[in-house]
Each structure stands twice: as C-alpha cells, then as structure tokens.
Amino acid sequence: MKIDMLITDAYVYNSYFKTFDKGNVVIKDGKFLYIGERGSETFQPDEVIDGKGKYMIPGLIDIHLHIESTMVTPSTFSYGLIKNGVTTIVAEPHEMANVFGITGVKEMIKASDDCVVDMFYAIPSSVPATSMETTGGSIEISDIDELMKTEDIKCLGEIMNFHDVISDPDCKTNQILSHIRTQYPDLIIEGHVPKLLDLDLQRIAFAGVNSDHTHQTVEGMEARISAGMFLEIQEKSMTTEVMEYLKEKQVDEHFCFVTDDVMADSFQRRGHLNVLLKKAIEMGMTPEKAIYACTYTPAQRMRMYDRGAIAPGKIADFLLVSNLKNFDLDMVYKKGVCEFDSSKPYIQSVQPKQFPAAFYQSVELEELTEDDFTMHVPLADDRYTCRIMNVQDGSTFTEERHDQVDVRDGKLCWEESPYGLIATFERYGKNRNHAHGLISGDILQRGAVATTYSHDNHNLLVIGHNKQDMLLAANEVIGKQGGICCVENGQVLSMLQLPVGGILSEEPLDVISKQVEQLTTSLKSLGYKHYNVIMSLSTLSLPVSPALKITDHGLINVNEGKIVPLVVE
C-alpha cells in the first residue's frame, strides 16, 4: 500500500487509554491511517521518519484565547504557536470587535486564512461587554446571523455580562442567548462567570452557558461540574488545591487547559499552552493526563472530532518529544508536514499592512490639555470621602476603598493626595465622554502611563501622579494612532506602538516581545507591582471584572452592575 509517511519506533500516545504504546504510525493524505506494529513490509512510504524512541503526541489544542491579547496579527501568532506545539486554536476576537464591530471579526478571520495553525473562531457575544461603556463597534443579533452564515464558527464566545443575565430578563445578552437557543440550538456557548455559586451559577447554566474559564477554586469547580459545566483552566487557576483536585478526582472529561491571554514577551520567552502542560506535570499530574487535557478534551468540547488524538482518520497533527518532563519539542507536524524542527532555523516572514486602511486610523481623539486631568467637582472647599480603586498584585480584580481628599476652588486636590489619577477618554469620535477616578495599591507610584490597549472598550486610559507626565503620555499615544506609553519627569521611558486598531502591532514576534519587555520594565521602575503589569493595567477599564473599574461613563461597581459617583454621599 502506497502511503505518504511512515514514522517508526515511537512511543505513541493513545488518547482512549491515556497510555504510550511503542509502535509505528502511517500517514496518508494528511491523516493518520494506521498505528501498530506493521511497517515497510506492508506499506510503501514516500518518506520514513525514525522516531528513535521519542514520544509522539497529538498537536496541542487551545479552545479559549484572544489573539489580540498578545498584540500581534494572526500570522505572527501562528508562527509562535507552531514552535510551541499548538496546532489548533479557537480564538475569540472580541477586542477587535469592540473597535470595529463585525468588520473587525471578519478581518481577523480573513487574516487567519493562510496561517499554518488551524484558527477557528468564536462569535463575540458581549460587545460591548456592558451598556456602561462606549466602544467603536458592537455585535448585534443580525451580526451573529451573518457570521453563522458566512464563517466557520465553533461557538458563541464568552458570555461576560453575567450580572445582567441574572438580573435583567430583557437585556441584550439575554436576547442573544434566547436567539441562539432558538435558532442555533447546537451551538456551544462559552462563559465568563467569576465567583458565582449556588442559584446565581445555576441560573447562568439554565440560560445555556455551560463553561467557565475564570479564576477557579475547589468549591467553584465542584459547583460548576455539578451543574454540568465544562472547566477551562488558566495558569492563574493552577493552584496547589485546584491541581490536587484535578489529579485525584475522576473529572478528566470535564476540564481542559487554556491560555486565554498571553503577553508577547511571555509568548516568546516561555511559550504557550505547552507552558501549562509542563507546569501540570511539574505539579504532579501524570504526563498522560496532562496531555489529555491539552488535546483530547478541548477537541471534544468544541466537537472537533477530526483531531485531538492519534488514530485512523484523524488529522495528522503531532509532536515528537524526547523528554516528557521538560517537554522540549523536537519536531512539530501539521497535517503530516513538518513545520518546526528544533535542529533547523525557524524564521518568521513579516507581512505588512494585512488589514484595511481604516484599521490604521482608529484613534479619533484630539490632543489633550492639562485641564483634561483636572477633576472639577461642584462642592464647597472641604475634605470629602472618595472612592479609591485599589490594585492588588496576583489578580486582575480590584477592591473599593474609601478615604478623604481635599476639595479647593471646585477642584479635587488629587495631586496633593497619596493617590494617583485614573482617567479614560472615549476615542472613537462618538460622544467625547471622559471620566476620572482615584487609584492606589500595587500600581505605579510616580510618572504616568497611557494606553489604547484597555479591555474591552479600548478607549484611551491614562494613569499618573502629575498632569504633565499624563499629558505627554496621552498625546504620544494619540499621535501614534494607538499604543502604550510610559513617562517619567517629562521623558518617554518606553513607547509600544499598536497601529492596527490601537491594539495590534505588525512587528515580528521577536521585536514586539522585546518592546513589551521594555514596557514592562518601565512600568515596574515606576513602582507597578504585578505578576502581569500590562494585563493588570488594561483590565482597569473592564467593567465585568470585580470590583471597582472605570469606563468613559464613570466609575463602575461591577458586583452591582452600576455607575457610582467618585464622592461617597
């Protein structure tokens, strides 16, 4: 029998028994044909690969991530994924959708067409995430219908506005959920339900949302599995307690590992989904079980029955690994073709201007003045109790604190207080909204930073301790059509340009990773303390992430789903 490839003498991972079995593997037409003892006496291969006793593992599959979080294009993302053994992803482009609506989604899909990695997509379900922010675009029910007709859609992306789902039967999110259940009853619905338990959690499940990828506890995992929900475990959820539970309990079919958001410097330096796989093994999970959670269960969750296992008829995506403990990749194959060989150079080809011209002119905001960082308050001269957004290392959640700040001549004397100013400005030319707040905690202690990379609305977000630095940082970002700028004492410390929609760079991965690393160093030099400073910064405007956040509409009490004033009555 003529075949394309014969791999001999490999330890082949069997997903159905979670074992490694020594044998040969036959590939024909980009798919696995045979796994067993037969070799050249039965098959006539065009190519023979000596497995040399290496471990042969299905290509890794990540079913919950946002390419925009890495601030690169799909082609750059694909380049980084392959060298880390990831051969299939399900991406949700809700960041680009917040900037450009359905056009943003379609252009991200289009930019993925020629990538080596199979990039499937989720329809962003929460654009905007709430009604308490201004975005450049939105995703409506009619947009969902169009995407379902024209694109290869795997699921409805994470339902983020869990508060409204529970409390407002007529909200936009509930209308979308009702439409999906009626018109597309087989479509998978992904969820974002941090901390919910008991009745609130089960009401979310009743609405059709049957997964969660947010920060997990053992109590939360048990509640979700009991309610029939699927768990997508991020690295931040890989605590000792969570991992012990996943190792000891018979829950292998109910979870997988996902990355969600990976910064470019971490992507280049550490890796991707393979990082979580290695970490799981280091934390005592058997390699067989960890591999299962990075290949088979994510494929099953997304009903991608043509991959996730080395078995007849499955797509021939696989890795060759010499050592399971360190999981260093020797070779990565996609559809039976070697795309990465650790013994050979792996060079990225750069593709400029991959998007329409309008994507490079998305910041419609005039230069700011110092008065934009003056907090005018209609109050008599006195001390007033104000809400303070407190940032904590180790979490993207914040907490609300209260303290007294002076008011003089109708202005809040924030520069004389122990607190920084956080301000946000609508940047799409829709309404010129802006809002101010006070911030403390593990945030920068001096200087300023400005960014258009601010989840999920991507308006201009500015934080600082003096007006001059804030003004310089903000106007640098406006002038460059988006990015992140760090300033101290009137000097630009670092500037990461993000010209595509104000959120993506077209630089190669090795270049942008160094830029992100420099930016991180600059933020930390100003006193920012966080395990992921850029993610912490960018989520300060995310009004679905507890507890006190800010949008162009004002300060948001996330737990109550409402706008609250700066001054506490």
Side-chain angles (χ1 to χ4, degrees):
M1 180 186 298
K2 286 192 65 64
I3 60 169
D4 298 324
M5 182 182 292
L6 172 65
I7 300 104
T8 63
D9 190 29
Y11 285 94
V12 184
Y13 182 72
N14 186 303
S15 302
Y16 309 104
F17 290 109
K18 295 180 203 161
T19 58
F20 281 99
D21 304 310
K22 194 168 186 179
N24 303 328
V25 177
V26 170
I27 295 172
K28 183 177 176 62
D29 299 331
K31 296 181 179 181
F32 298 115
L33 171 64
Y34 170 83
I35 299 92
E37 296 180 359
R38 291 178 180 269
S40 54
E41 79 285 352
T42 304
F43 303 102
Q44 293 81 55
D46 292 337
E47 183 180 6
V48 177
I49 304 295
D50 184 355
K52 298 179 180 178
K54 295 178 182 179
Y55 298 93
M56 187 172 175
I57 295 160
L60 307 186
I61 300 173
D62 193 338
I63 61 170
H64 183 89
L65 60 80
H66 311 283
I67 296 172
E68 305 98 312
S69 293
T70 312
M71 299 182 281
V72 297
T73 60
S75 62
T76 298
F77 201 67
S78 175
Y79 163 84
L81 289 174
I82 283 294
K83 68 177 183 177
N84 288 293
V86 181
T87 55
T88 299
I89 63 169
V90 178
E92 185 191 337
H94 70 228
E95 313 299 354
M96 198 61 89
N98 271 280
V99 181
F100 295 112
I102 189 174
T103 301
V105 176
K106 287 195 165 190
E107 288 298 332
M108 284 294 284
I109 294 173
K110 183 179 177 182
S112 305
D113 285 346
D114 297 326
C115 292
V116 174
V117 170
D118 285 335
M119 295 186 173
F120 298 102
Y121 277 83
I123 296 177
S125 65
S126 304
V127 179
T130 72
S131 59
M132 299 175 290
E133 57 193 314
T134 304
T135 58
S138 64
I139 297 295
E140 307 298 331
I141 288 176
S142 58
D143 298 319
I144 292 173
D145 288 338
E146 182 175 344
L147 289 168
M148 288 297 293
K149 290 176 183 175
T150 62
E151 310 295 343
D152 185 2
I153 298 298
K154 286 298 176 188
C155 61
L156 184 69
E158 58 183 296
I159 296 293
M160 300 177 72
N161 196 0
F162 55 88
H163 184 275
D164 279 3
V165 173
I166 295 169
S167 62
D168 183 1
D170 299 320
C171 73
K172 176 183 173 180
T173 306
N174 274 325
Q175 292 174 28
I176 288 173
L177 286 169
S178 177
H179 184 72
I180 293 297
R181 292 194 303 268
T182 302
Q183 299 298 319
Y184 313 103
D186 295 329
L187 188 67
I188 298 161
I189 302 175
E190 293 283 271
H192 171 113
V193 286
K195 297 186 176 182
L196 291 191
L197 294 169
D198 197 45
L199 179 58
D200 285 346
L201 178 67
Q202 296 195 33
R203 289 180 68 184
I204 289 287
F206 181 80
V209 180
N210 62 0
S211 79
D212 183 33
H213 69 275
T214 58
H215 200 160
Q216 298 297 338
T217 63
V218 170
E219 179 188 22
M221 288 194 300
E222 286 202 322
R224 282 153 178 73
I225 293 172
S226 295
M229 298 180 81
F230 186 80
L231 296 171
E232 296 165 0
I233 304 297
Q234 297 186 52
E235 186 174 10
K236 67 183 179 183
S237 289
M238 295 175 72
T239 62
T240 301
E241 295 77 18
V242 164
M243 292 303 293
E244 287 300 316
Y245 183 87
L246 295 176
K247 287 188 296 182
E248 294 174 5
K249 301 294 183 179
Q250 298 299 313
V251 294
D252 291 5
E253 310 307 319
H254 305 293
F255 82 94
C256 72
F257 291 112
V258 300
T259 57
D260 198 8
D261 305 297
V262 177
M263 291 291 107
D265 57 340
S266 177
F267 195 17
Q268 176 77 345
R269 185 181 70 255
R270 298 179 68 214
H272 198 259
L273 187 61
N274 55 323
V275 173
L276 279 69
L277 196 161
K278 286 190 282 189
K279 186 170 183 175
I281 295 170
E282 289 168 0
M283 296 182 74
M285 184 174 283
T286 65
E288 291 83 355
K289 190 165 182 171
I291 291 166
Y292 193 76
C294 292
T295 57
Y296 189 76
T297 50
Q300 295 294 300
R301 165 67 184 168
M302 287 296 155
R303 300 178 188 140
M304 296 187 288
Y305 302 128
D306 61 350
R307 65 195 69 210
I310 298 173
K314 306 293 185 185
I315 292 173
D317 296 348
F318 65 94
L319 324 175
L320 290 177
V321 179
S322 296
N323 186 316
L324 286 181
K325 188 172 183 180
N326 61 31
F327 213 79
D328 289 336
L329 299 172
D330 295 319
M331 304 178 88
V332 178
Y333 284 77
K334 184 79 184 90
K335 298 176 182 173
V337 176
C338 182
E339 296 291 350
F340 173 77
D341 184 335
S342 62
S343 67
K344 298 178 181 178
Y346 183 62
I347 300 170
Q348 180 181 357
S349 59
V350 180
Q351 301 176 41
K353 300 296 180 183
Q354 299 171 51
F355 293 88
F359 279 52
Y360 303 90
Q361 297 292 326
S362 66
V363 181
E364 298 184 31
L365 188 61
E366 295 180 359
E367 284 198 350
L368 303 182
T369 67
E370 283 193 15
D371 192 57
D372 289 306
F373 302 104
T374 300
M375 298 181 73
H376 299 277
V377 287
L379 298 169
D381 291 3
D382 204 345
R383 287 179 64 79
Y384 293 88
T385 301
C386 296
R387 288 182 169 84
I388 315 294
M389 184 190 304
N390 191 69
V391 177
Q392 307 166 82
D393 187 6
S395 176
T396 52
F397 296 165
T398 65
E399 61 181 15
E400 179 178 323
R401 293 183 179 179
H402 295 169
D403 198 6
Q404 291 194 325
V405 181
D406 290 334
V407 171
R408 192 162 54 247
D409 299 327
K411 300 174 184 176
L412 192 75
C413 302
W414 68 268
E415 287 180 286
E416 301 171 16
S417 77
Y419 305 110
L421 176 69
I422 181 168
T424 185
F425 303 86
E426 184 271 320
R427 60 102 160 174
Y428 301 104
K430 291 187 172 183
N431 52 38
R432 300 303 185 212
N433 280 354
H434 61 273
H436 300 87
L438 297 174
I439 194 162
S440 68
D442 297 326
I443 196 79
L444 71 172
Q445 305 299 308
R446 57 192 175 278
V449 62
T451 179
T452 49
Y453 181 79
S454 53
H455 293 299
D456 278 330
N457 48 68
H458 300 295
N459 286 310
L460 178 66
L461 184 71
V462 192
I463 301 169
H465 286 270
N466 68 81
K467 295 177 184 177
Q468 295 76 25
D469 283 351
M470 295 180 77
L471 180 64
L472 176 57
N475 286 338
E476 280 289 317
V477 170
I478 293 170
K480 296 292 194 300
Q481 276 296 308
I484 309 174
C485 183
C486 211
V487 171
E488 183 180 22
N489 296 328
Q491 298 293 319
V492 174
L493 301 181
S494 58
M495 174 70 203
L496 171 63
Q497 294 188 45
L498 301 171
V500 184
I503 59 174
L504 299 185
S505 168
E506 290 184 318
E507 295 287 353
L509 182 59
D510 63 340
V511 172
I512 191 171
S513 66
K514 290 173 185 174
Q515 293 174 343
V516 169
E517 189 173 359
Q518 181 185 356
L519 176 65
T520 300
T521 300
S522 297
L523 286 167
K524 289 182 176 180
S525 76
L526 297 179
Y528 210 133
K529 298 176 183 177
H530 201 274
Y531 74 95
N532 189 338
V533 292
I534 295 176
M535 186 56 63
S536 170
L537 168 67
S538 67
T539 53
L540 296 175
S541 61
L542 183 60
V544 293
S545 175
L548 185 67
K549 297 294 173 77
I550 191 170
T551 74
D552 63 303
H553 288 211
L555 290 171
I556 310 295
N557 182 317
V558 176
N559 295 333
E560 296 181 10
K562 66 180 184 181
I563 300 169
V564 293
L566 172 69
V567 177
V568 181
E569 294 183 9

